[in-house]
């Protein structure tokens, strides 16, 4: 293994493991960074790796870690930041490699490793590293194990992931906060106007109303349709587990909605609330929006369409803070700051890589496997195609209720065991079809 660093950037770790008679070379990507932590929101310290007898909502007890030969309950959980995202893939791969060594079993594949430290920030420099290291990162296919298995607890293979785009949008009112009694009903309130604008972006049927929003989205293929129709129904389970009464689109399939681009308001800010609230008209209001892209959507074009929607609503849009003169010159004034984005990726579900991975997962788990055309999260898979010229797929391992990115992140022990079985099977499977493309 080797640490590689471009000056000023978070380093990557690369490596390679050879075997005597490889049927193919598989690339393995893992990210070593994690989401920020507010320890006050955690039940146990986020970096202590607390072992609990069950999930928190089941009133568990804290356990000591078992010794060699001690019984282990597969329903135990490890609570820690990064437990599932993204320490689990590396932990189970290492365990699988150790198991094969102890059993004196030869691997059937060579391995290439790439560990990145900026995934949670959108991988802004992964393309630079891949370009510089391309000759050392050649593989017949790349595998990522980020994310959860299906909500039914069934093993899952995902053959694509949504892309990402987004922006921060600020609407401006008076130059300073004003007394709402003296000036309310006369001075425009940017919080109300921002809310009103955002409401024009999506209708009551859950469809985005920005002109052209769905124009480039690829149609669902017959293979995708067949896979979606075969998925276990989890909608009632999710509504109960996640604590809400009805879906955004009534009677919609969760998987079907993942095949479309989304428009999500991920945060709003204007003045203060609760005990800090003051009787003021805010000077400005900001919304942070993410757009999850489906296959075919271009990240820049999607935000361009939002810009056009703003223009049609009469807004003068800047990419910086306005000057005092601009605030006085434009009744409807906004600032839009784009978030770097990337396109979605989806490989054919009848490709050699797809069929081989489904067979591997069935063999490793002894269960029916969920074949998912598109994963809900966004991962820059396009870089593996564009720069390294290889197909890429996702083999999630962590439990679906792992609280990824949130307080009390966890991983279920049974999922760790599944991950070890999965990787020992992967490492001893004939991948000749993937190498040849047959």
């Amino acid at each position: 293994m080797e640490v590689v660093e471009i000056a000023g950037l978070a380093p990557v770790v690369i490596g390679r493991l050879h075997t005597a008679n490889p049927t193919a070379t598989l690339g393995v990507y893992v990210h070593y960074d994690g989401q920020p932590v507010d320890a006050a929101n955690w039940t146990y310290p986020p970096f202590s790796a607390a072992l609990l007898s069950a999930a928190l909502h089941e009133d568990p007890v804290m356990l000591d870690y078992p010794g060699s030969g001690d019984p282990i309950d597969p329903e135990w959980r490890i609570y820690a930041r990064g437990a599932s995202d993204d320490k689990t893939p590396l932990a189970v791969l290492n365990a699988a490699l150790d198991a094969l060594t102890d059993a004196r079993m030869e691997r059937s594949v060579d391995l290439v490793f790439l560990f990145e430290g900026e995934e949670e920030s959108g991988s802004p420099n992964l393309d630079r590293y891949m370009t510089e290291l391309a000759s050392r990162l050649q593989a017949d296919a790349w595998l990522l194990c980020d994310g959860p298995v299906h909500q039914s607890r069934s093993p899952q293979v995902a053959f694509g992931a949504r892309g990402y785009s987004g922006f921060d949008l600020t609407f401006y009112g008076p130059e300073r906060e004003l007394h709402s009694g003296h000036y309310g009903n006369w001075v425009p309130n940017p919080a109300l106007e921002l809310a009103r604008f955002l409401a024009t972006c999506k209708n009551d049927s859950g469809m985005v109303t920005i002109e052209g929003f769905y124009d480039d989205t690829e149609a669902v293929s017959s293979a995708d349709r067949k896979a979606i129709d075969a998925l276990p129904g989890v909608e009632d389970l999710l509504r109960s587990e996640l604590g809400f009464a009805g879906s955004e689109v009534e009677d919609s399939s969760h998987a079907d909605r993942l095949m479309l681009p989304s428009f999500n308001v991920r945060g709003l800010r204007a003045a203060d609330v609760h005990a800090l609230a003051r009787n003021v008209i805010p000077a400005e209001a900001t919304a942070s929006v993410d757009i999850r892209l489906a296959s075919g959507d271009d990240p820049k074009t999607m935000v361009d369409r939002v810009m056009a929607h703003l223009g049609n609503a009469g807004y003068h849009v800047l990419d910086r803070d306005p000057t005092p003169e601009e605030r006085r010159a434009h009744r409807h004034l906004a600032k839009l700051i784009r978030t770097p984005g990337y396109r979605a990726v989806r490989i054919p579900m009848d490709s050699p890589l797809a069929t081989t991975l489904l067979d591997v997962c069935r063999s490793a788990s002894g269960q029916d496997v969920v074949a998912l055309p598109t994963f809900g999260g966004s991962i820059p898979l396009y870089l593996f195609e564009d720069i390294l010229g290889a197909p890429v797929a996702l083999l999630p391992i962590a439990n679906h209720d792992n609280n990824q990115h949130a307080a009390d992140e966890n991983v279920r022990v049974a999922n760790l065991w599944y991950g070890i079985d999965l990787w020992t099977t992967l490492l001893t499977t004939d991948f000749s079809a993937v190498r040849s493309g047959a």
Side-chain angles (χ1 to χ4, degrees), residues 56-192:
L56 278 173
H57 69 273
E58 298 172 324
D59 297 322
V61 296
M62 189 171 179
L63 304 170
D64 293 327
Y65 276 88
S68 178
D70 290 344
I72 297 174
D73 187 335
E75 293 302 321
W76 287 355
R77 302 216 181 190
I78 299 171
Y79 279 80
R81 172 54 92 224
S84 59
D85 183 21
D86 198 29
K87 290 184 173 67
T88 283
L90 188 56
V92 298
L93 173 57
N94 283 335
L97 288 168
D98 288 343
L100 292 178
T101 298
D102 291 345
R104 297 184 180 180
M105 293 179 63
E106 282 290 328
R107 286 179 287 108
S108 62
V109 293
D110 282 348
L111 296 174
V112 175
F113 301 102
L114 172 60
F115 304 151
E116 184 210 2
E118 296 181 306
E119 191 271 347
E120 300 291 8
S121 302
S123 300
N125 299 294
L126 185 58
D127 58 340
R128 294 180 61 183
Y129 278 114
M130 281 188 172
T131 300
E132 181 170 305
L133 301 169
S135 63
R136 302 171 64 183
L137 297 175
Q138 292 303 300
D140 296 296
W142 279 85
L143 303 178
L144 286 74
C145 296
D146 202 350
V149 298
H150 193 253
Q151 290 87 350
S152 63
R153 284 193 170 183
S154 297
Q156 175 170 265
V157 185
F159 300 106
R162 287 164 134 182
Y164 184 88
S165 190
F167 57 91
D168 288 333
L169 177 63
T170 300
F171 276 15
Y172 294 94
E175 199 166 45
R176 60 186 181 278
E177 292 180 346
L178 298 175
H179 191 288
S180 61
H182 296 324
Y183 295 102
N185 282 352
W186 188 71
V187 172
N189 185 310
L192 283 171

Side-chain angles (χ1 to χ4, degrees), residues 8-84:
L9 306 182
V12 299
V13 180
I14 63 172
R16 183 178 288 268
L17 274 179
H18 292 288
T19 193
N21 298 295
T23 60
T25 299
L26 298 181
V28 181
Y29 167 94
V30 179
H31 67 86
Y32 63 80
D33 60 327
Q35 286 282 321
V37 169
D38 183 351
N41 294 328
W42 284 66
T43 305
Y44 294 89
F47 299 108
S48 67
L51 179 64
L52 303 185
S53 61
L56 278 173
H57 69 273
E58 298 172 324
D59 297 322
V61 296
M62 189 171 179
L63 304 170
D64 293 327
Y65 276 88
S68 178
D70 290 344
I72 297 174
D73 187 335
E75 293 302 321
W76 287 355
R77 302 216 181 190
I78 299 171
Y79 279 80
R81 172 54 92 224
S84 59

Side-chain angles (χ1 to χ4, degrees), residues 143 155-159 349-372 393-395 418 421-434 438:
L143 303 178
Q156 175 170 265
V157 185
F159 300 106
M349 298 194 67
D350 54 359
S351 66
L353 179 59
T355 54
T356 301
L357 292 179
L358 288 171
D359 288 343
V360 165
C361 287
R362 290 189 195 99
S363 177
S365 66
Q367 301 179 45
D368 290 335
V369 176
V370 172
L372 191 67
L394 293 98
L395 295 172
Y418 162 64
D421 290 340
L422 174 65
W423 270 106
T424 52
T425 307
L426 278 166
L427 296 174
T428 54
T429 291
D430 186 339
F431 274 84
S432 299
V434 175

Side-chain angles (χ1 to χ4, degrees), residues 156-309:
Q156 175 170 265
V157 185
F159 300 106
R162 287 164 134 182
Y164 184 88
S165 190
F167 57 91
D168 288 333
L169 177 63
T170 300
F171 276 15
Y172 294 94
E175 199 166 45
R176 60 186 181 278
E177 292 180 346
L178 298 175
H179 191 288
S180 61
H182 296 324
Y183 295 102
N185 282 352
W186 188 71
V187 172
N189 185 310
L192 283 171
E193 296 193 342
L194 179 59
R196 189 178 299 121
F197 172 79
L198 292 172
T200 71
C201 294
K202 208 164 189 180
N203 64 23
D204 292 342
S205 299
M207 300 302 289
V208 178
T209 53
I210 296 168
E211 186 175 352
F213 195 79
Y214 301 105
D215 283 0
D216 302 323
T217 303
E218 289 183 5
V220 175
S221 71
S222 58
D224 293 336
R225 182 76 267 156
K226 182 178 179 180
I228 291 171
D229 290 343
L231 293 174
V234 295
E235 286 73 21
D236 289 341
L237 167 69
L238 287 177
R239 281 188 286 268
S240 174
E241 185 176 287
L242 302 178
F244 66 100
S247 306
E248 185 176 51
V249 178
E250 188 175 359
D251 297 327
S252 61
S253 154
H254 175 250
D256 274 323
R257 298 294 287 169
L258 296 183
M259 304 300 286
L260 294 171
S262 67
F263 184 96
N264 175 62
V265 179
R266 61 179 186 168
L268 291 166
R269 177 174 294 171
D272 295 299
V273 298
H274 300 311
L276 297 177
R278 292 161 287 116
N279 296 329
V280 298
I281 299 169
E284 59 185 57
T286 298
S288 187
V289 174
D290 69 68
I291 300 173
R292 301 289 174 152
L293 307 178
S295 187
D297 299 328
D298 176 72
K300 179 180 181 300
T301 300
M302 294 299 259
V303 181
D304 287 345
R305 288 169 177 153
V306 175
M307 290 280 288
H309 194 62

